[in-house]
Amino acid sequence: QALHAEIAGIKFDDIFLNASGVHCQTTAELDELLATKGTGAIITKSATSAYRAGNPSPRLSKIPLGSINSMGLPNEGLDYYLDYVTTKQADKPMLLSVAGVSYTENLDILHKVQDSSFMGITELNLSCPNVPGKPQTAYDFETTERLLTEVFAFFTKPLGVKMPPYFDIVHFDDMAKILNKFPLAHVNTINSIGNGLWINEDTDTVVIKPKGGFGGIGGALAKPTALANVRAFRQRLNPTIKMIGTGGVVNGRDVYEHILCGADLVSVGTQLQFEGPSMFARLEQELLAIMAEKGYTSVDDFRGQLKIIE
Ligand SMILES: O=C(O)c1[nH]c(=O)[nH]c(=O)c1Cl
């Protein structure tokens, strides 16, 4: 299989999935992604214990070369998504994303998942930048280590983590050291680049309402940071920890570059938001064309093979 992958013993027949948060809040959206050609998996909107309306709108805006969002973790609540992933008949893996807005909520949610009949991959979102007053867990290194230590004391099912972008080589070193202490199924990097700002040039006004216009940046603007984080963590993490590359994917070349940096799966947010699910078939065709041009028959032929200048 040209575009295959395997995480925690779970096989993927295609390397694409949605980025959590995009086209995955309702069962209708999730059903549509399941039925979409080119998706090898789907992932739910990050679930909190209870339903959340999220931040006031406008909370998402398209900007040149990307997007800005401060959704505020709107979701239907954990039980809604647990029910979906445990009862839906699917022909491809379904990942469950979870995000407590507090340290103890993360533990409560993961206890519920552990005690549920869900046997798939859970992704712990440590990088939501948009809950007012709540710092991103993954920018607090000690808390991240303490949380994962407590989680793995009871959680025995496949668990991955969604990480924010880092911008300092020492941070790559230090966070990779922490993550390597745990039997993680995968690391998904990057989440949006937190707390950017975009101005409407006609009105001299911000383009989203929450947080005075501050929001996470995604899309093409994020690609250099996304590729660096995939590359940096792939170089540092135990090979047993697989990589989901997220950030800046617009076309097949961007997918190819994520794989060159080490991605096993590639997830797409901003472009999916604006193009819709038909995007996946396009990305797959564009990637396969690039592979054919280079004589590659499988992603295994070039994953992680980024060349440096000696
Ligand atoms: O505001 C959000 O809901 C949100 N927005 C993002 O860009 N990343 C996240 O992880 C979340 Cl949880």
Side-chain angles (χ1 to χ4, degrees), residues 1-4 288 291-292 294-302:
Q1 241 288 358
L3 307 183
H4 71 140
L288 288 169
M291 288 168 63
K294 295 168 180 292
Y296 295 140
T297 57
S298 163
V299 286
D300 300 333
D301 299 342
F302 63 99

Side-chain angles (χ1 to χ4, degrees), residues 196-230:
L197 187 64
W198 191 263
I199 300 169
N200 178 316
E201 61 189 34
D202 302 326
T203 63
D204 289 353
T205 310
V206 299
V207 295
I208 54 174
K209 180 169 179 178
K211 297 168 50 176
F214 283 63
I217 303 297
L221 286 166
K223 189 172 89 171
T225 295
L227 293 177
N229 278 263
V230 173

Side-chain angles (χ1 to χ4, degrees), residues 6-7 152 172-173 175-187 230-244 262 264 303:
E6 183 254 299
I7 300 181
F152 281 105
F172 293 140
D173 294 338
M175 183 47 73
K177 272 194 203 94
I178 292 169
L179 297 176
N180 276 329
K181 294 179 176 181
F182 304 101
L184 289 163
H186 74 269
V187 165
V230 173
R231 172 72 166 177
F233 280 105
R234 185 63 288 162
Q235 289 178 311
R236 291 165 173 81
L237 291 174
N238 299 334
T240 56
I241 301 178
K242 296 298 178 78
M243 297 291 296
I244 300 180
D264 294 283
R303 183 185 306 109

Side-chain angles (χ1 to χ4, degrees), residues 96-117:
L96 172 69
S97 176
V98 297
V101 293
S102 72
Y103 186 95
T104 48
E105 188 183 8
N106 277 315
L107 293 170
D108 294 345
I109 290 168
L110 288 169
H111 269 295
K112 285 194 187 124
V113 177
Q114 177 67 21
D115 297 343
S116 77
S117 61

Side-chain angles (χ1 to χ4, degrees), residues 45-46 69-74 125 127-130 191-192 216:
K45 170 66 186 176
S46 294
N69 94 84
S70 184
M71 308 303 285
L73 251 176
N125 182 354
S127 46
C128 177
N130 301 322
N191 207 316
S192 57

